[in-house]
Amino acid sequence: MIAYSFGFYGIALFGIILARYFLVAGGIYWFFYSPFSQFLGHRQLLNRVPSWRSIQHDIKLSILSSGVFALAAALILSAYSLGITRLYSQAQQHGLWYLGVSYVLILVFQDAYFYFTHRLFHHPTLFPWWHRGHHRSRYPTPWTSFAFDPLEAIVHSLFLVGIVFIIPLHFVTLIAVMTTMTIWAVLNHLGLDRLPTSFPHHWLGRWFIGPAHHSIHHLKYTVHYGLYFTFWDKFLGTQDPHYAQKFDPH
């Protein structure tokens, strides 16, 4: 791998991350919020679409967050070029089986990290400085997916910065984790009524966070703090007690 300067990495990655945000968030927003969405055949839309001013606020915060994430990624690549991370590029180094195992392991760790930091951000002392920007959108859209206050974006970025020094990760695994994080964040901010009520609330889906689960967090603030899985919310009593009944498909 050719080594470049930290500045080059930062600028290039900022462009890539920002383009990814507009392509993924913008594409999914157009698909689910355009007149075309009425032909998807799901239930009648109940919640109003946020104002363009609210969406602009989300985009501005997301641009700032993209800058933070770009700096974090540049730090990771610079550290790799110095040989001080546990990133590797040869799949045979730890075996092909490890690619899948490490991917799942990172998602589990990231979910726990997100749950506890997210819950901390809701402390009255921290909330105005760390998390209020994200909650400006009471009814979130895909544009809200990366709308973090700068301090919150820094905390989120520190997870991957730290993990590459602790756990051996193939670059493919790292990219897969970041792709999952992006797509999951966008889908979780679709809103309560953009997908059928049965998604993802079947027996397996109840362990995964979907748009309805996270939308309730934007409405109530004191429940549903997870990122990928509902485990921590269930185990620590921050799951809305009426959630399972409300979205039971039977």
Side-chain angles (χ1 to χ4, degrees):
M1 179 177 176
I2 301 175
Y4 295 98
S5 68
F6 177 84
F8 175 86
Y9 284 138
I11 294 171
L13 290 166
F14 176 68
I16 293 171
I17 293 171
L18 196 60
R20 182 189 64 181
Y21 167 73
F22 279 106
L23 284 172
V24 177
I28 293 180
Y29 176 83
W30 175 85
F31 186 82
F32 284 98
Y33 285 80
S34 71
F36 173 77
S37 65
Q38 64 183 310
F39 299 108
L40 294 177
H42 54 259
R43 58 185 172 142
Q44 182 180 4
L45 301 179
L46 302 175
N47 295 320
R48 62 182 178 84
V49 177
S51 66
W52 176 238
R53 184 176 180 180
S54 176
I55 291 173
Q56 282 182 308
H57 171 266
D58 286 343
I59 292 175
K60 289 177 182 178
L61 279 185
S62 297
I63 292 173
L64 291 175
S65 297
S66 296
V68 173
F69 297 146
L71 292 175
L75 180 61
I76 290 173
L77 290 179
S78 297
Y80 172 76
S81 66
L82 294 174
I84 58 176
T85 72
R86 303 202 67 183
L87 289 169
Y88 65 97
S89 57
Q90 299 297 324
Q92 295 78 9
Q93 185 171 338
H94 292 280
L96 293 177
W97 64 271
Y98 182 73
L99 297 179
V101 170
S102 58
Y103 170 75
V104 173
L105 192 65
I106 295 303
L107 293 187
V108 171
F109 286 163
Q110 188 181 25
D111 182 68
Y113 179 85
F114 185 91
Y115 176 89
F116 289 104
T117 55
H118 187 190
R119 194 168 177 180
L120 181 63
F121 294 153
H122 276 267
H123 188 279
T125 303
L126 298 180
F127 184 83
W129 304 97
W130 295 70
H131 198 49
R132 176 175 286 167
H134 188 72
H135 276 281
R136 285 276 297 273
S137 295
R138 184 169 173 80
Y139 296 100
T141 70
W143 297 113
T144 316
S145 56
F146 275 61
F148 304 123
D149 288 310
L151 290 174
E152 180 179 5
I154 291 172
V155 172
H156 289 322
S157 68
L158 287 177
F159 173 79
L160 288 179
V161 171
I163 209 72
V164 299
F165 290 96
I166 300 171
I167 298 176
L169 285 179
H170 192 281
F171 272 102
V172 168
T173 305
L174 182 61
I175 293 171
V177 168
M178 291 190 293
T179 301
T180 301
M181 178 178 63
T182 299
I183 295 175
W184 210 290
V186 171
L187 289 177
N188 281 350
H189 290 87
L190 272 180
L192 275 167
D193 49 14
R194 301 289 157 171
L195 290 173
T197 54
S198 59
F199 178 85
H201 305 103
H202 47 72
W203 67 272
L204 178 60
R206 290 176 182 176
W207 291 100
F208 293 92
I209 290 171
H213 190 278
H214 189 69
S215 291
I216 291 173
H217 172 73
H218 276 261
L219 291 171
K220 293 190 175 182
Y221 285 37
T222 57
V223 294
H224 298 189
Y225 296 105
L227 177 62
Y228 302 121
F229 313 111
T230 59
F231 169 78
W232 289 109
D233 282 313
K234 291 178 178 178
F235 182 68
L236 295 178
T238 53
Q239 176 99 317
D240 184 348
H242 304 295
Y243 174 74
Q245 298 174 359
K246 183 175 181 180
F247 294 101
D248 191 338
H250 299 295

